[in-house]
Amino acid sequence: MPTLSEKKYDIVIAGGGVIGAACAYFLSKEKNLNIALVDLKKPGNASRASAGGLWAIGESVGLGCGVIFFKRISMQRAEAEGDDLPPLRPHILPDCFFEFALKSNNMYPALWQELKDKHDVDFKFEKTGLKYIMYDKYDKLYADSIVEQIPDLADQISWLSAEELAKDEPYINADAIGALEFKCDHQVNPYRLNEAYLEAARQNGVELFLQTEVTDIEKQGNRITGVNTSSGTLHCDMLINAAGSWAAELSKMACGVEIPVYPVKGQIILSEKLPKVLKGCISTTDCYIAQKDNGEVLIGSTTEEKGFDTTNTLPELKELANGAMRCLPILNDMNIKRCWSGLRPGTPDELPILGEMEGVEGYLNACGHFRTGILTSAITGKLINDLYRGLPLDLDITPFKHARFDEQNKKQA
């Protein structure tokens, strides 16, 4: 790690998770900037708790941990009101997020090749697809509703009958009545993706200040001029807030405003290494399941607003394990390697917060990516680079700016 000095940086990136690392990589591809990245690994770092799913459509339509969360909410309401469980309805994100997620997803094949060829790092991009497994007519109604709401993506969707599913995924429960498959939703190794971005950025000249805490922000008037850390001060012209679930703390120091980013806990189970039992990634109303390239099976994930708590709790882990064993009976004989919790950086509307803050110069947000940071890191890194350099953007980031919350507050007043 470099020692601190009076060196002036063009950019300081606060946060070394997948978003901060992606920003560092894309900004450093043209080697004409002095860039520093500051990171202190805290319990619950989201990038190291991810399944690594590039589920552009799946997450946009509320699968993954989304459908698990809304099923639990529906069950709690039904229990409180003494009613039967109401039919689930897909939680569809806005069109702007579909564009954001799909553009990022499309970048991964070339990005994977680029990082291997130029930097000798491999984040294990795998073309797996994502299957939503249906057990009954209610699951089928849920899938029907998804398809009805995304007609423009019909070419990326396939229906699998029970027979076709059994042939494609022979270890899936024989009681399944079929599946809805999203053909462009693949996976990576999330740890390797984070490290690949960081290593490539380091090779490009980015100075990495790891195990270093941001303690305060220096300003002259309304302009950011430096970042105080546990090891000294990094002078800079631009601060990028990629602090994940801790982004609100940083924005308070830099802007005097706490942006609405808060931790959303997700508990995960990881199995021992197993023979190949899955061809693709799996989502059900109970859990999602992804077998990684080394044979380990990852089962997730809860969605809990419990502050910065990262403890594991038996009821939630049992719920995930039972859901996984229902889907893949072969997992009844597996051994659990470890369990952990991650803190996703949530926002009130589940959209990231990107770009400038009104009234503050030398500051950009790159945070609030909730459960899609791995998926959307590529487009975020490119957008932040292009925004900093004044280049045309690949998409309109207005829906993702912090100012949207001011507009919402005005409408509610």
Side-chain angles (χ1 to χ4, degrees), residues 116-384:
K116 285 202 304 178
D117 292 346
K118 294 184 178 180
H119 300 283
D120 196 26
V121 287
D122 182 359
F123 57 75
K124 302 296 182 180
F125 173 68
E126 294 183 86
K127 290 188 174 183
T128 57
L130 172 68
K131 299 181 184 74
Y132 171 61
I133 305 301
M134 300 177 292
Y135 297 118
D136 53 38
K137 64 180 181 180
Y138 299 107
D139 290 342
K140 178 63 164 59
L141 287 171
Y142 188 88
D144 285 337
S145 185
I146 288 174
V147 174
E148 288 170 6
Q149 296 183 67
I150 52 172
D152 294 344
L153 296 171
D155 63 327
Q156 293 297 333
I157 296 171
S158 293
W159 290 97
L160 299 180
S161 66
E163 294 75 20
E164 290 169 328
L165 175 61
K167 183 177 180 180
D168 200 45
E169 297 283 5
Y171 292 98
I172 294 290
N173 192 328
D175 291 338
I177 63 172
L180 180 63
E181 182 175 20
F182 303 99
K183 294 183 284 188
C184 71
D185 288 13
H186 304 307
Q187 70 170 327
V188 299
N189 184 308
Y191 313 106
R192 288 183 177 238
L193 179 65
N194 200 163
E195 294 303 319
Y197 281 136
L198 284 175
E199 174 57 18
R202 186 196 66 78
Q203 292 178 22
N204 287 345
V206 174
E207 295 187 33
L208 305 179
F209 294 89
L210 306 180
Q211 297 304 316
T212 302
E213 184 176 12
V214 174
T215 57
D216 204 357
I217 305 300
E218 292 192 349
K219 298 172 69 175
Q220 290 184 357
N222 66 346
R223 172 171 284 281
I224 304 293
T225 59
V227 178
N228 294 331
T229 77
S230 53
S231 301
T233 298
L234 300 172
H235 304 286
C236 64
D237 294 322
M238 174 66 69
L239 168 65
I240 294 174
N241 184 350
S245 292
W246 296 266
E249 299 174 19
L250 187 65
S251 73
K252 179 69 173 178
M253 287 189 281
C255 311
V257 174
E258 287 191 4
I259 58 177
V261 176
Y262 51 87
V264 181
K265 177 180 174 180
Q267 300 190 50
I268 294 173
I269 298 171
L270 187 71
S271 82
E272 62 184 344
K273 294 181 180 181
L274 299 174
K276 190 71 172 175
V277 297
L278 282 178
K279 178 181 175 182
C281 297
I282 300 297
S283 177
T284 75
T285 56
D286 300 312
C287 64
Y288 62 74
I289 310 170
Q291 186 165 28
K292 310 312 288 185
D293 65 295
N294 65 355
E296 295 172 345
V297 175
L298 190 148
I299 303 162
S301 167
T302 62
T303 302
E304 308 168 63
E305 294 184 15
K306 298 288 182 66
F308 288 92
D309 170 45
T310 57
T311 58
N312 284 121
T313 50
L314 187 58
E316 284 69 27
L317 293 176
K318 286 178 66 176
E319 187 176 332
L320 290 175
N322 288 334
M325 290 186 290
R326 178 193 183 195
C327 183
L328 281 174
I330 194 173
L331 295 183
N332 279 278
D333 298 323
M334 79 171 185
N335 290 316
I336 293 174
K337 182 177 181 179
R338 67 186 181 105
C339 305
W340 72 94
S341 295
L343 301 175
R344 311 178 193 91
T347 65
D349 56 10
E350 300 184 23
L351 301 181
I353 303 177
L354 306 176
E356 68 276 1
M357 291 281 283
E358 187 174 346
V360 182
E361 296 183 40
Y363 174 93
L364 291 173
N365 286 309
C367 48
H369 290 70
F370 194 23
R371 55 179 180 257
T372 60
I374 296 294
L375 164 64
T376 58
S377 64
I379 190 65
T380 298
K382 187 175 188 306
L383 286 169
I384 292 297

